[in-house]
Amino acid sequence: MRNALPINAFLLAVLWILSACNLVRPDITDPGKRAQLEIAPPSPTQSFSRVTQPRDFSFPIDHGPHTDYQTEWWYYTGNLTAEGGERFSYQLTVFRRGLSTSLPERDSNFGAAQIFFAHFAIAAIDREEHHFAERFSRGALGLAGASGQP
């Protein structure tokens, strides 16, 4: 049982993170329909930075978001083997998408300059099973976010 605990703890942690995001919600007018997220290109007045050449990195801050860029992602992949020999592979990707270069002016705190989405997949290789989950959320009200500082 030595390997089972880390695998179970890892999977529970990932599922907890995704469920805490609560990003994909059913359409209340049609319970069988999933909500859709539409991402429009930035307006011509937005000026996100572009990657045009290599740059120096500084850690730990560069482990976190670079909000001057419009799109970035972080991913974790791996292979796990249970004590009984069953093999698994997993992949967790978190995406950040800038909607504007500054927070929109609003009378409420719901305005967001960025959104986050996550995709988790796990495969039970020997059983030829594949499962996945996705979540989406705005970067407002503490619903989602990222930081380069611990």
PDB file of all heavy atoms in Angstrom, residues 33 35 47 50-51 56 79 87 90 95 103 109 113 116 118 124 138-139 146:
ATOM      1  N   LYS A  33     -28.089  21.275 -21.021  1.00  0.00           N
ATOM      2  CA  LYS A  33     -27.145  22.035 -21.834  1.00  0.00           C
ATOM      3  C   LYS A  33     -26.049  22.630 -20.952  1.00  0.00           C
ATOM      4  O   LYS A  33     -26.315  23.139 -19.889  1.00  0.00           O
ATOM      5  CB  LYS A  33     -27.902  23.164 -22.537  1.00  0.00           C
ATOM      6  CG  LYS A  33     -27.068  23.976 -23.477  1.00  0.00           C
ATOM      7  CD  LYS A  33     -27.943  25.030 -24.138  1.00  0.00           C
ATOM      8  CE  LYS A  33     -27.117  25.925 -25.029  1.00  0.00           C
ATOM      9  NZ  LYS A  33     -27.899  27.011 -25.565  1.00  0.00           N
ATOM     10  N   ALA A  35     -23.053  25.388 -20.165  1.00  0.00           N
ATOM     11  CA  ALA A  35     -22.745  26.776 -20.474  1.00  0.00           C
ATOM     12  C   ALA A  35     -21.554  26.829 -21.426  1.00  0.00           C
ATOM     13  O   ALA A  35     -20.698  25.953 -21.405  1.00  0.00           O
ATOM     14  CB  ALA A  35     -22.436  27.543 -19.197  1.00  0.00           C
ATOM     15  N   SER A  47      -3.124  46.390 -25.674  1.00  0.00           N
ATOM     16  CA  SER A  47      -1.754  46.210 -26.141  1.00  0.00           C
ATOM     17  C   SER A  47      -1.028  45.169 -25.284  1.00  0.00           C
ATOM     18  O   SER A  47      -0.219  45.518 -24.447  1.00  0.00           O
ATOM     19  CB  SER A  47      -1.013  47.542 -26.125  1.00  0.00           C
ATOM     20  OG  SER A  47      -1.047  48.092 -24.823  1.00  0.00           O
ATOM     21  N   ARG A  50       4.103  40.882 -26.791  1.00  0.00           N
ATOM     22  CA  ARG A  50       4.278  39.765 -27.715  1.00  0.00           C
ATOM     23  C   ARG A  50       5.649  39.149 -27.485  1.00  0.00           C
ATOM     24  O   ARG A  50       6.605  39.852 -27.173  1.00  0.00           O
ATOM     25  CB  ARG A  50       4.141  40.228 -29.158  1.00  0.00           C
ATOM     26  CG  ARG A  50       2.749  40.795 -29.451  1.00  0.00           C
ATOM     27  CD  ARG A  50       2.573  41.171 -30.893  1.00  0.00           C
ATOM     28  NE  ARG A  50       2.818  40.094 -31.820  1.00  0.00           N
ATOM     29  CZ  ARG A  50       1.942  39.150 -32.159  1.00  0.00           C
ATOM     30  NH1 ARG A  50       0.756  39.158 -31.610  1.00  0.00           N
ATOM     31  NH2 ARG A  50       2.244  38.221 -33.046  1.00  0.00           N
ATOM     32  N   VAL A  51       5.738  37.845 -27.657  1.00  0.00           N
ATOM     33  CA  VAL A  51       7.020  37.158 -27.526  1.00  0.00           C
ATOM     34  C   VAL A  51       7.750  37.311 -28.856  1.00  0.00           C
ATOM     35  O   VAL A  51       7.321  36.792 -29.874  1.00  0.00           O
ATOM     36  CB  VAL A  51       6.819  35.668 -27.186  1.00  0.00           C
ATOM     37  CG1 VAL A  51       8.168  34.963 -27.123  1.00  0.00           C
ATOM     38  CG2 VAL A  51       6.050  35.514 -25.897  1.00  0.00           C
ATOM     39  N   ASP A  56      15.297  36.832 -20.041  1.00  0.00           N
ATOM     40  CA  ASP A  56      15.802  36.259 -18.804  1.00  0.00           C
ATOM     41  C   ASP A  56      14.642  36.023 -17.845  1.00  0.00           C
ATOM     42  O   ASP A  56      13.697  36.821 -17.777  1.00  0.00           O
ATOM     43  CB  ASP A  56      16.813  37.202 -18.148  1.00  0.00           C
ATOM     44  CG  ASP A  56      18.097  37.328 -18.960  1.00  0.00           C
ATOM     45  OD1 ASP A  56      18.459  36.345 -19.639  1.00  0.00           O
ATOM     46  OD2 ASP A  56      18.718  38.397 -18.908  1.00  0.00           O
ATOM     47  N   ASN A  79       3.271   9.748 -14.915  1.00  0.00           N
ATOM     48  CA  ASN A  79       2.847   8.353 -14.933  1.00  0.00           C
ATOM     49  C   ASN A  79       2.950   7.829 -13.512  1.00  0.00           C
ATOM     50  O   ASN A  79       3.904   8.150 -12.792  1.00  0.00           O
ATOM     51  CB  ASN A  79       3.736   7.531 -15.861  1.00  0.00           C
ATOM     52  CG  ASN A  79       3.604   8.010 -17.291  1.00  0.00           C
ATOM     53  OD1 ASN A  79       2.557   7.889 -17.893  1.00  0.00           O
ATOM     54  ND2 ASN A  79       4.678   8.567 -17.821  1.00  0.00           N
ATOM     55  N   ARG A  87      -1.197   0.699 -13.998  1.00  0.00           N
ATOM     56  CA  ARG A  87      -0.546   1.903 -14.491  1.00  0.00           C
ATOM     57  C   ARG A  87      -1.568   2.990 -14.815  1.00  0.00           C
ATOM     58  O   ARG A  87      -2.642   2.715 -15.348  1.00  0.00           O
ATOM     59  CB  ARG A  87       0.274   1.576 -15.741  1.00  0.00           C
ATOM     60  CG  ARG A  87       1.374   0.565 -15.463  1.00  0.00           C
ATOM     61  CD  ARG A  87       2.090   0.136 -16.727  1.00  0.00           C
ATOM     62  NE  ARG A  87       1.131  -0.412 -17.681  1.00  0.00           N
ATOM     63  CZ  ARG A  87       1.236  -0.306 -19.007  1.00  0.00           C
ATOM     64  NH1 ARG A  87       2.236   0.343 -19.546  1.00  0.00           N
ATOM     65  NH2 ARG A  87       0.339  -0.861 -19.794  1.00  0.00           N
ATOM     66  N   TYR A  90      -1.513  10.889 -16.120  1.00  0.00           N
ATOM     67  CA  TYR A  90      -2.362  12.034 -15.830  1.00  0.00           C
ATOM     68  C   TYR A  90      -1.795  13.279 -16.510  1.00  0.00           C
ATOM     69  O   TYR A  90      -0.620  13.330 -16.880  1.00  0.00           O
ATOM     70  CB  TYR A  90      -2.479  12.273 -14.318  1.00  0.00           C
ATOM     71  CG  TYR A  90      -1.191  12.696 -13.683  1.00  0.00           C
ATOM     72  CD1 TYR A  90      -0.841  14.043 -13.594  1.00  0.00           C
ATOM     73  CD2 TYR A  90      -0.290  11.760 -13.183  1.00  0.00           C
ATOM     74  CE1 TYR A  90       0.356  14.435 -13.030  1.00  0.00           C
ATOM     75  CE2 TYR A  90       0.906  12.146 -12.617  1.00  0.00           C
ATOM     76  CZ  TYR A  90       1.220  13.490 -12.535  1.00  0.00           C
ATOM     77  OH  TYR A  90       2.412  13.872 -11.986  1.00  0.00           O
ATOM     78  N   PHE A  95      -4.944  27.142 -17.792  1.00  0.00           N
ATOM     79  CA  PHE A  95      -4.755  28.200 -18.777  1.00  0.00           C
ATOM     80  C   PHE A  95      -5.163  29.535 -18.168  1.00  0.00           C
ATOM     81  O   PHE A  95      -6.123  29.600 -17.401  1.00  0.00           O
ATOM     82  CB  PHE A  95      -5.641  27.962 -20.013  1.00  0.00           C
ATOM     83  CG  PHE A  95      -5.344  26.696 -20.739  1.00  0.00           C
ATOM     84  CD1 PHE A  95      -5.988  25.523 -20.396  1.00  0.00           C
ATOM     85  CD2 PHE A  95      -4.424  26.673 -21.781  1.00  0.00           C
ATOM     86  CE1 PHE A  95      -5.737  24.344 -21.073  1.00  0.00           C
ATOM     87  CE2 PHE A  95      -4.160  25.497 -22.459  1.00  0.00           C
ATOM     88  CZ  PHE A  95      -4.814  24.339 -22.109  1.00  0.00           C
ATOM     89  N   LEU A 103      -8.082  46.161 -15.452  1.00  0.00           N
ATOM     90  CA  LEU A 103      -9.380  45.764 -14.900  1.00  0.00           C
ATOM     91  C   LEU A 103     -10.456  46.724 -15.389  1.00  0.00           C
ATOM     92  O   LEU A 103     -10.285  47.947 -15.314  1.00  0.00           O
ATOM     93  CB  LEU A 103      -9.300  45.784 -13.369  1.00  0.00           C
ATOM     94  CG  LEU A 103     -10.419  45.119 -12.616  1.00  0.00           C
ATOM     95  CD1 LEU A 103     -10.490  43.636 -12.961  1.00  0.00           C
ATOM     96  CD2 LEU A 103     -10.206  45.287 -11.119  1.00  0.00           C
ATOM     97  N   ASN A 109     -17.616  44.149  -8.024  1.00  0.00           N
ATOM     98  CA  ASN A 109     -16.317  43.476  -8.046  1.00  0.00           C
ATOM     99  C   ASN A 109     -16.293  42.293  -9.006  1.00  0.00           C
ATOM    100  O   ASN A 109     -15.357  41.500  -8.978  1.00  0.00           O
ATOM    101  CB  ASN A 109     -15.962  42.994  -6.641  1.00  0.00           C
ATOM    102  CG  ASN A 109     -15.703  44.146  -5.703  1.00  0.00           C
ATOM    103  OD1 ASN A 109     -15.199  45.189  -6.117  1.00  0.00           O
ATOM    104  ND2 ASN A 109     -16.067  43.995  -4.447  1.00  0.00           N
ATOM    105  N   ALA A 113     -10.166  41.052 -15.635  1.00  0.00           N
ATOM    106  CA  ALA A 113      -9.285  41.295 -16.764  1.00  0.00           C
ATOM    107  C   ALA A 113      -8.754  39.992 -17.335  1.00  0.00           C
ATOM    108  O   ALA A 113      -8.099  39.990 -18.365  1.00  0.00           O
ATOM    109  CB  ALA A 113      -8.126  42.192 -16.338  1.00  0.00           C
ATOM    110  N   PHE A 116      -9.596  31.996 -16.246  1.00  0.00           N
ATOM    111  CA  PHE A 116      -8.780  30.798 -16.069  1.00  0.00           C
ATOM    112  C   PHE A 116      -9.609  29.585 -16.450  1.00  0.00           C
ATOM    113  O   PHE A 116     -10.818  29.565 -16.199  1.00  0.00           O
ATOM    114  CB  PHE A 116      -8.324  30.658 -14.614  1.00  0.00           C
ATOM    115  CG  PHE A 116      -7.357  31.720 -14.204  1.00  0.00           C
ATOM    116  CD1 PHE A 116      -7.797  32.965 -13.780  1.00  0.00           C
ATOM    117  CD2 PHE A 116      -5.997  31.481 -14.261  1.00  0.00           C
ATOM    118  CE1 PHE A 116      -6.896  33.944 -13.407  1.00  0.00           C
ATOM    119  CE2 PHE A 116      -5.091  32.457 -13.886  1.00  0.00           C
ATOM    120  CZ  PHE A 116      -5.544  33.691 -13.458  1.00  0.00           C
ATOM    121  N   ALA A 118      -9.168  25.103 -16.564  1.00  0.00           N
ATOM    122  CA  ALA A 118      -8.322  23.965 -16.219  1.00  0.00           C
ATOM    123  C   ALA A 118      -8.883  22.704 -16.850  1.00  0.00           C
ATOM    124  O   ALA A 118     -10.103  22.556 -16.996  1.00  0.00           O
ATOM    125  CB  ALA A 118      -8.246  23.796 -14.700  1.00  0.00           C
ATOM    126  N   ALA A 124      -6.451   5.069 -17.024  1.00  0.00           N
ATOM    127  CA  ALA A 124      -6.086   3.777 -16.445  1.00  0.00           C
ATOM    128  C   ALA A 124      -5.609   2.947 -17.634  1.00  0.00           C
ATOM    129  O   ALA A 124      -6.421   2.425 -18.405  1.00  0.00           O
ATOM    130  CB  ALA A 124      -7.277   3.136 -15.744  1.00  0.00           C
ATOM    131  N   ARG A 138     -13.712  33.248 -13.911  1.00  0.00           N
ATOM    132  CA  ARG A 138     -13.137  34.581 -14.076  1.00  0.00           C
ATOM    133  C   ARG A 138     -12.142  34.848 -12.965  1.00  0.00           C
ATOM    134  O   ARG A 138     -12.250  34.302 -11.872  1.00  0.00           O
ATOM    135  CB  ARG A 138     -14.231  35.643 -14.088  1.00  0.00           C
ATOM    136  CG  ARG A 138     -14.904  35.801 -12.740  1.00  0.00           C
ATOM    137  CD  ARG A 138     -16.001  36.841 -12.692  1.00  0.00           C
ATOM    138  NE  ARG A 138     -17.154  36.358 -13.407  1.00  0.00           N
ATOM    139  CZ  ARG A 138     -17.988  37.147 -14.067  1.00  0.00           C
ATOM    140  NH1 ARG A 138     -17.812  38.433 -14.087  1.00  0.00           N
ATOM    141  NH2 ARG A 138     -19.007  36.649 -14.695  1.00  0.00           N
ATOM    142  N   GLY A 139     -11.198  35.715 -13.237  1.00  0.00           N
ATOM    143  CA  GLY A 139     -10.220  36.098 -12.227  1.00  0.00           C
ATOM    144  C   GLY A 139     -10.736  37.249 -11.384  1.00  0.00           C
ATOM    145  O   GLY A 139     -10.136  38.316 -11.365  1.00  0.00           O
ATOM    146  N   ALA A 146      -3.726  33.153 -10.064  1.00  0.00           N
ATOM    147  CA  ALA A 146      -2.413  32.530  -9.973  1.00  0.00           C
ATOM    148  C   ALA A 146      -1.453  33.557  -9.408  1.00  0.00           C
ATOM    149  O   ALA A 146      -1.675  34.770  -9.550  1.00  0.00           O
ATOM    150  CB  ALA A 146      -1.943  32.058 -11.350  1.00  0.00           C
TER     151      ALA A 146
END
